[in-house]
Amino acid sequence: MRLYQGFFIGLSVLAVAACQTKENDETPVRTTFFDKSGMDTTVLPGNDFFTYANGNWVKKTKIPDDQTGWGSFYQIYDDNQKKTRSILEEAAKADAKTGSVEQKVGDFYASGMDTTTIDKLGYEPIKAELTKISALTDYKQVLNYLAADQTNRGGEFIGFYVGADDRQSSINRINFIQAGLSLPEKEYYTRTDEATKKIRSAFVAYITRLFTMVGVDSVSARTKADAILEFETALAKSHKAPADLRDPVANYNKLAVADLTRQMPNLNWRNLLNTMGLERVDTVLVGQPGYYQALDKTLPTTPISLLKDRLVFDLLDHNASLLSKEFEKASFEFNSKTLYGQPQQPERWKRMADRTDGALGEALGQLWVKKYFPAEAKERMLTLVDNLQKVYRERIEKLDWMAPETKKVALTKLDKFVKKIGYPDKWKDYSDVDIKRDDFYGNVQRARVHHYKEDFAKINRPVDRTEWGMTPPTVNAYANPTNNEVVFPAGILQFPFFDKDADDAINYGGIGMVIGHEMTHLFDDQGRQYDANGNLRDWWTKADAERFNTKTQAIVTQYNGYTVLDNLHLNGKLTLGENLADLGGITLAYEAFKLTKEGQSTEKIDGFTPDQRFFLGFAQVWRIKVRDETERAGITTDPHSPAKFRVNGPLTNFEPFYRAFNVQPGQKMYKPEVDQAKVW
């Protein structure tokens, strides 16, 4: 399943000062819901509201060594991991019935914690695959090997996902997407700044290190690494930039397999699909044909020795975290420390909690929501979503720039959108995944086989619109326009986003904004192109589409002007969807808040008016601090703006914020109302 819009890409953690804990109770009892000690009141709210609300916290907070950042999301994620650990350790100790959910998650976790066995094996688990790769004699055999690999279908050369056909959203298709690169995106191979050059140098060193660990001499290993970087650099030229991947029309290409085979005879698509076990598939989607055209030309002209070296590196890189500690350390030092600045690996139990969630997510999820997600939280969330939906309807009805015929379709879409809260109504079945307490590597591989089997069974069949794309403990939310749905996993429904005991200002500024954010995604520059049934079609009048594009260009320009790390500009085109959703989210949440008793009062709490408290609660959600390396990587790859601009950006365009904090001309965030960007 492809998730078009997630609320947050990274992870973070917030320290809350006024918090007490009941003895023998994992749930904190809060005495206040906004941490005033984190504010920097020497800064005018109208100059930099993020720093006004969070400045002292940012100054005093040290990012833990095992994290890429710290703040609200990280703290919830950290708390959720502790909850997950409790479940997993309990399941691992239980004498659970073979095949039960408890047995599978408990034994999977226990197998990953058994480092004595894992370290003793070294790289023994992958030796059979290394032998297979060694026997390959030409690029056709390479393609057959990749297609036949049930644990990693297509390998790193053939990327794909299975999901709704954008133009026929009731049917699942296999959609092939650009792949073949080890670094985050194409510009990493060509940029000449010192930071990027160091990453490329570290990449070569990492490849060299992996080869020497499986017996290759250091000189030969370095030669292989240099050749792999050169190979990927050439392949990167065929890639679209991240911002260009956001256009659903340009990235939709429906093609007959017979035609693809004629157009790209070296890839031999018919044989490729047959080897993958997809003989019945005669039509596919290809998101970025340019990549596969380049691959079709490149493979036959590349020495087989280089292709085999690339397969060996991919095998090692893909599985390093499943092998002995020296392999895991090598992978961490490049993929986490070099790329994102994380100094230290998280503890083993944290890594295995994540691994269990990734492999058996809904099995773990069943136990997680039973213990940690009460029914009343789901009911409260549904009420909040319904309230914001009503506000959104009223705003669409009052739009002065949209024609009645476009409004009619927009309102139908809004009325039909699906709300998923907490966890799925039906759970996925893992009965075919054999989990053994003494076979960590095998457990992961069998889970991978299961996921590919599950996906392949969906191809050319009706979409199951009850399916979820995130697991219950996930600290995130998403909108999926092909299902016309918004989804809020149980993991995010916690403070500072949501607390059943918090006042409405805090909850609407937190989870209310998240709800509005995801609802707006269904009408952002991507989502607006899908109709009420989730089909990609042009339902806008030409004039309305032009007016929408004019309005959104103002937001692109605004965010292009923001910089981080002294000289790196945000990419307003890449972040447009998220920036629109942030503006829409705060707008809808505020108007819904004003319908509540607190929203209509003037009574102060902690010295702040209800409106001020709403905006401070919103800013508290983005109380996040990340490492420079993480920030740098995000600027080119992450469709979300940095936390500071997720606060200041939308509020610059929001008149109620101006009134709440008396923002005046001459202050840095001030814009005359006529110049403020307004869309939904």
Side-chain angles (χ1 to χ4, degrees):
M1 176 186 291
R2 173 174 51 172
L3 307 184
Y4 278 85
Q5 309 290 355
F7 183 65
F8 188 67
I9 294 294
L11 293 166
S12 41
V13 184
L14 172 65
V16 181
C19 179
Q20 301 172 343
T21 303
K22 292 180 181 177
E23 188 175 356
N24 299 322
D25 190 347
E26 296 177 0
T27 304
V29 178
R30 303 188 185 282
T31 58
T32 188
F33 295 94
F34 177 73
D35 175 22
K36 292 174 68 174
S37 69
M39 299 176 70
D40 183 353
T41 55
T42 66
V43 176
L44 285 174
N47 277 341
D48 180 353
F49 190 68
F50 175 87
T51 302
Y52 168 77
N54 302 319
N56 278 345
W57 179 89
V58 171
K59 290 175 188 175
K60 295 177 181 178
T61 295
K62 180 184 182 298
I63 299 172
D65 286 344
D66 68 345
Q67 302 286 339
T68 58
W70 200 241
S72 54
F73 289 86
Y74 293 95
Q75 180 66 57
I76 298 176
Y77 175 67
D78 195 60
D79 290 344
N80 284 0
Q81 280 197 311
K82 292 172 184 174
K83 294 174 181 177
T84 299
R85 181 188 193 182
S86 174
I87 291 170
L88 293 173
E89 289 186 346
E90 184 177 328
K93 292 174 185 176
D95 185 20
K97 180 181 178 181
T98 301
S100 66
V101 166
E102 290 82 359
Q103 179 266 318
K104 288 182 185 294
V105 300
D107 284 358
F108 186 97
Y109 177 74
S111 73
M113 294 299 292
D114 182 7
T115 54
T116 300
T117 298
I118 293 168
D119 288 340
K120 187 182 297 184
L121 288 170
Y123 69 96
E124 185 68 30
I126 63 169
K127 284 184 177 178
E129 292 303 314
L130 290 172
T131 300
K132 289 180 186 179
I133 293 170
S134 178
L136 302 176
T137 59
D138 61 32
Y139 80 91
K140 294 178 182 178
Q141 290 186 7
V142 166
L143 286 171
N144 286 338
Y145 168 79
L146 293 173
D149 184 356
Q150 296 183 56
T151 67
N152 189 23
R153 292 286 193 185
E156 305 308 312
F157 286 148
I158 311 295
F160 65 87
Y161 66 89
V162 176
D165 183 329
D166 292 71
R167 294 197 184 275
Q168 190 182 359
S169 64
S170 61
I171 299 296
N172 282 308
R173 306 275 184 213
I174 187 168
N175 192 329
F176 290 92
I177 54 176
Q178 63 188 28
L181 305 185
S182 304
L183 299 181
E185 54 95 16
K186 64 182 295 182
E187 296 300 325
Y188 275 73
Y189 294 88
T190 55
R191 284 202 305 262
T192 57
D193 61 278
E194 288 303 313
T196 306
K197 287 196 290 185
K198 286 180 180 178
I199 287 173
R200 286 198 295 271
S201 177
F203 178 52
V204 169
Y206 170 53
I207 301 172
T208 302
R209 184 177 180 182
L210 289 181
F211 273 109
T212 59
M213 289 165 66
V214 293
V216 178
D217 69 86
S218 59
V219 174
S220 299
R222 175 57 189 258
T223 300
K224 293 173 185 292
D226 286 335
I228 288 171
L229 175 60
E230 184 178 355
F231 174 81
E232 291 194 18
T233 301
L235 208 54
K237 295 175 184 177
S238 68
H239 268 230
K240 287 189 175 183
D244 295 327
L245 297 175
R246 297 191 63 257
D247 184 340
V249 174
N251 290 280
Y252 181 91
N253 301 279
K254 192 172 187 177
L255 297 161
V257 174
D259 290 338
L260 270 177
T261 302
R262 282 192 293 271
Q263 294 171 21
M264 307 174 200
N266 296 320
L267 290 181
N268 193 348
W269 286 87
R270 182 66 275 161
N271 181 70
L272 187 71
L273 289 165
N274 289 351
T275 308
M276 293 172 79
L278 300 175
E279 295 90 348
R280 62 188 171 83
V281 175
D282 58 11
T283 302
V284 301
L285 303 176
V286 183
Q288 299 79 41
Y291 165 74
Y292 288 99
Q293 290 163 357
L295 188 66
D296 183 73
K297 295 176 182 177
T298 299
L299 290 181
T301 60
T302 302
I304 185 60
S305 59
L306 174 52
L307 293 179
K308 289 161 65 173
D309 287 342
R310 173 60 198 270
L311 294 188
V312 170
F313 166 63
D314 289 341
L315 177 68
L316 291 166
D317 183 46
H318 188 56
N319 294 292
S321 62
L322 312 179
L323 304 176
S324 54
K325 59 177 174 289
E326 59 268 25
F327 287 93
E328 192 178 27
K329 182 180 178 183
S331 175
F332 167 78
E333 289 184 352
F334 177 72
N335 290 307
S336 297
K337 190 173 184 178
T338 297
L339 289 179
Y340 300 102
Q342 184 176 336
Q344 179 180 303
Q345 265 189 314
E347 294 176 75
R348 181 81 186 180
W349 71 262
K350 291 183 177 181
R351 308 200 301 276
M352 292 308 103
D354 283 346
R355 179 70 70 176
T356 308
D357 186 41
L360 303 169
E362 290 195 13
L364 171 61
Q366 294 176 55
L367 305 178
W368 208 93
V369 299
K370 183 178 180 180
K371 188 170 184 177
Y372 296 116
F373 190 67
E376 56 266 28
K378 190 167 187 173
E379 294 167 6
R380 180 85 182 272
M381 268 295 294
L382 186 59
T383 299
L384 286 167
V385 175
D386 288 343
N387 290 346
L388 268 79
Q389 185 180 17
K390 292 173 186 175
V391 168
Y392 210 162
R393 168 171 264 281
E394 292 172 1
R395 289 190 64 83
I396 291 175
E397 289 173 339
K398 294 175 182 177
L399 288 176
D400 60 3
W401 58 267
M402 182 178 280
E405 56 265 45
T406 310
K407 280 186 183 180
K408 182 178 179 181
V409 182
L411 290 169
T412 298
K413 177 176 179 176
L414 180 67
D415 291 341
K416 288 183 68 173
F417 87 85
V418 176
K419 308 150 192 173
K420 295 179 178 176
I421 298 168
Y423 53 90
D425 292 328
K426 63 179 182 180
W427 298 104
K428 291 186 176 181
D429 178 14
Y430 298 92
S431 59
D432 64 326
V433 186
D434 185 20
I435 301 298
K436 301 178 181 179
R437 199 177 182 90
D438 61 353
D439 186 13
F440 177 53
Y441 184 86
N443 289 338
V444 174
Q445 304 311 316
R446 287 186 288 274
R448 287 173 174 171
V449 171
H450 164 84
H451 289 301
Y452 282 115
K453 180 180 176 182
E454 180 182 71
D455 273 351
F456 282 8
K458 301 173 190 174
I459 299 172
N460 293 346
R461 292 192 166 92
V463 171
D464 178 0
R465 295 184 184 268
T466 68
E467 186 179 7
W468 280 51
M470 289 180 178
T471 62
T474 303
V475 187
N476 212 328
Y478 69 91
N480 179 4
T482 58
N483 274 10
N484 193 25
E485 67 182 3
V486 292
V487 185
F488 306 96
I492 198 174
L493 304 179
Q494 302 175 66
F495 187 81
F497 294 97
F498 174 75
D499 192 298
K500 64 182 179 63
D501 297 320
D503 55 297
D504 283 330
I506 296 298
N507 277 336
Y508 276 89
I511 200 64
M513 180 272 298
V514 177
I515 294 166
H517 174 102
E518 298 304 340
M519 289 170 60
T520 303
H521 268 315
L522 297 175
F523 295 92
D524 69 12
D525 61 310
Q526 289 179 290
R528 76 166 188 86
Q529 299 182 65
Y530 294 80
D531 65 18
N533 296 316
N535 292 312
L536 180 62
R537 71 175 182 88
D538 190 359
W539 51 271
W540 291 58
T541 67
K542 182 179 179 181
D544 285 344
E546 289 174 351
R547 282 189 283 266
F548 177 88
N549 290 335
T550 298
K551 287 177 173 292
T552 58
Q553 182 56 45
I555 294 177
V556 172
T557 302
Q558 174 187 339
Y559 283 81
N560 279 342
Y562 292 141
T563 59
V564 297
L565 304 177
D566 298 327
N567 62 352
L568 289 179
H569 280 264
L570 272 61
N571 184 338
K573 181 182 176 185
L574 173 63
T575 59
L576 176 58
E578 298 298 334
N579 299 334
L580 285 170
D582 284 343
L583 177 57
I586 197 67
T587 302
L588 296 174
Y590 176 79
E591 291 202 8
F593 168 62
K594 296 304 285 183
L595 299 176
T596 69
K597 182 178 179 181
E598 183 185 0
Q600 295 171 19
S601 78
T602 58
E603 182 180 349
K604 291 185 177 181
I605 300 177
D606 293 336
F608 299 111
T609 68
D611 277 18
Q612 289 173 334
R613 196 165 169 79
F614 169 87
F615 290 114
L616 288 168
F618 162 61
Q620 182 175 238
V621 163
W622 294 112
R623 190 170 280 186
I624 292 170
K625 181 177 184 178
V626 300
R627 300 188 187 280
D628 288 353
E629 294 89 343
T630 300
E631 190 102 279
R632 188 179 301 276
I635 292 302
T636 58
T637 61
D638 191 347
H640 304 79
S641 295
K644 177 178 180 177
F645 302 112
R646 297 194 74 170
V647 174
N648 292 354
L651 294 185
T652 295
N653 298 305
F654 200 50
E655 196 64 25
F657 163 71
Y658 284 45
R659 294 194 297 268
F661 287 96
N662 193 30
V663 179
Q664 297 295 318
Q667 295 179 357
K668 294 178 181 178
M669 290 177 62
Y670 177 85
K671 278 185 186 179
E673 188 168 7
V674 68
D675 294 332
Q676 293 170 19
K678 301 183 191 302
V679 184
W680 294 106

